[in-house]
Amino acid sequence: MSTHGNTYSRLVVAAKILLPLGAIGLMSTLFLLARTPPEGEALRFADDSVSELADQQRLGSPVHASVTADGAEVKITAKALLPDEDLPRVTHGTDLFAELLTQDAQTYEITSRTGVMDDINMVSRLTEDVLILTSDGYRIRTDALELRSDLTYMRTLTPISADGPLGTLDAGRMEVFTDPEDDTRTRMLFTGGVRLVYIP
Amino acid sequence: QTSVATGGFRNADPDAPVEVTSDQLDLTRDAGTALFTGNVVAVQGDMRLSAQWVLVEYVVLEDGSLGSDIKTITARDDVLLVTPEEAAEGDEAIYTPLTNEVVMTGNVLLTQGANTVAGERLVVDLETGIGQVAGRVRTILQPQDEQP
């Protein structure tokens, strides 16, 4: 093998070492010096509403939320929402879920199949299979219910049948509102004939 | 100050369901009260209490939620307590399930068959059925043959 061949093979050996090293160098700088991702707009969904949506299997439809004059929170969401053809700010909904959190930490979770949310008169009407679950264990069924969003006030438009800690209860109408004498307290008023069966 | 022992008020079945009907019911939950107003009738077994105003006070549990056991039931305005053998009416009656006692006060009139006893205060022990009338007790015995 001529000496000439020697330098050539030495060159090849050097290349076999230098070239991969160069490649690694290039690759690492590519990652190391990469710019941080652009500061995008913050995620529009707050954490709690994501978990809320998850456990309610509810589509992420817009939530009608408001705080009443006496400090209660009213939230209404629906699976499908359809604005009224002629009345502005009136929305029809199906599979509604409404939540009233009163000042004395009583919660009323109301579900119904259909409903209308009237932002002009600040009242929503839930209809068809209305079920109200209260935080201290009442299950109240009725057919139609009105819920105000400016005041802590809910009233049924049809008779109710309920069961809970008191036993089973049937009444002509039910109203839930802040006690006028003591606005930290919520009252449930059943009228139009009441029948309670209590099992001690 | 004499007292008349009767026997007819025994509450045969304290665990029987209680059915209460009225025109209106007003629940103030964290105060643990249920106020029945307007033709209130409460029936348990063969005992019947009627009045215009009946306030049921529940034992409020520590966490503030409404317990299901009753502390007291207070009845006012033409209170009438009727059992198969006795009837007692008065201005106010307070029933305490814990002591199983009914205390009726104000113009108490206790009728047992033909006999009526009037007084200021009637204390009935529902377990033994013994009722004791006290306070200016006047007993009116209807002679049998002069039945009205």
Side-chain angles (χ1 to χ4, degrees):
Chain A
M1 277 194 10
S2 67
T3 58
H4 158 72
N6 219 344
T7 56
Y8 176 72
S9 63
R10 234 187 282 118
L11 261 182
V12 165
V13 163
K16 263 198 281 183
I17 295 168
L18 284 181
L19 281 183
L21 280 180
I24 290 171
L26 262 179
M27 290 281 284
S28 55
T29 52
L30 173 67
F31 287 112
L32 282 178
L33 303 180
R35 283 195 325 286
T36 56
E39 202 47 55
E41 180 212 322
L43 273 179
R44 271 188 304 98
F45 278 103
D47 288 344
D48 56 354
S49 79
V50 171
S51 62
E52 209 177 278
L53 290 178
D55 63 49
Q56 275 168 13
Q57 295 100 29
R58 201 155 292 292
L59 278 178
S61 53
V63 178
H64 265 63
S66 69
V67 178
T68 65
D70 39 29
E73 233 184 276
V74 180
K75 276 193 273 188
I76 304 176
T77 174
K79 184 163 279 185
L81 284 172
L82 193 65
D84 190 85
E85 290 86 17
D86 27 45
L87 289 174
R89 292 177 63 213
V90 169
T91 329
H92 298 266
T94 50
D95 284 338
L96 290 100
F97 174 76
E99 213 176 349
L100 169 63
L101 284 78
T102 62
Q103 242 207 344
D104 56 353
Q106 304 284 352
T107 60
Y108 298 81
E109 289 175 2
I110 310 155
T111 53
S112 77
R113 279 228 303 275
T114 55
V116 181
M117 285 171 266
D118 173 352
D119 289 346
I120 307 164
N121 305 313
M122 309 291 282
V123 68
S124 301
R125 176 177 298 199
L126 279 74
T127 44
E128 280 186 60
D129 293 342
V130 180
L131 172 66
I132 307 158
L133 300 178
T134 74
S135 48
D136 55 0
Y138 285 89
R139 287 173 61 85
I140 301 163
R141 290 186 184 291
T142 186
D143 297 331
L145 160 86
E146 263 181 6
L147 176 66
R148 295 199 64 87
S149 39
D150 54 353
L151 258 179
T152 309
Y153 183 79
M154 173 193 340
R155 71 179 174 134
T156 68
L157 307 169
T158 48
I160 64 109
S161 69
D163 53 77
L166 284 185
T168 59
L169 176 71
D170 296 294
R173 288 287 183 279
M174 179 187 85
E175 284 173 84
V176 175
F177 50 88
T178 305
D179 190 339
E181 289 110 22
D182 168 0
D183 63 12
T184 64
R185 207 185 273 170
T186 322
R187 271 170 64 187
M188 285 171 94
L189 185 62
F190 300 91
T191 52
V194 171
R195 182 173 166 279
L196 168 77
V197 177
Y198 160 72
I199 300 174
Chain B
Q1 179 70 23
T2 67
S3 70
V4 172
T6 66
F9 279 112
R10 185 167 311 100
N11 182 352
D13 183 359
D15 300 330
V18 178
E19 184 185 314
V20 185
T21 53
S22 70
D23 296 346
Q24 191 171 297
L25 164 63
D26 191 337
L27 276 184
T28 311
R29 295 233 297 296
D30 59 349
T33 61
L35 177 59
F36 295 88
T37 47
N39 308 320
V40 186
V41 175
V43 176
Q44 180 178 39
D46 48 19
M47 277 184 62
R48 185 174 181 282
L49 172 79
S50 58
Q52 288 306 319
W53 183 97
V54 172
L55 177 71
V56 180
E57 280 167 293
Y58 287 87
V59 173
V60 181
L61 305 180
E62 303 73 30
D63 60 4
S65 70
L66 202 51
S68 63
D69 35 11
I70 296 178
K71 206 166 55 176
T72 58
I73 300 179
T74 311
R76 287 198 189 112
D77 302 347
D78 23 338
V79 181
L80 179 61
L81 177 63
V82 175
T83 68
E85 302 100 44
E86 318 258 353
E89 56 187 86
D91 295 347
E92 181 182 85
I94 300 177
Y95 165 55
T96 322
L98 212 58
T99 59
N100 218 334
E101 206 183 50
V102 176
V103 176
M104 198 177 262
T105 50
N107 310 319
V108 174
L109 202 60
L110 174 64
T111 52
Q112 187 188 37
N115 312 329
T116 56
V117 178
E120 272 319 298
R121 193 177 145 80
L122 162 69
V123 177
V124 173
D125 178 338
L126 293 177
E127 253 146 49
T128 61
I130 305 287
Q132 304 201 317
V133 181
R136 287 191 297 106
V137 176
R138 301 176 308 284
T139 310
I140 302 120
L141 298 174
Q142 289 293 47
Q144 291 313 336
D145 44 21
E146 275 172 48
Q147 276 323 69

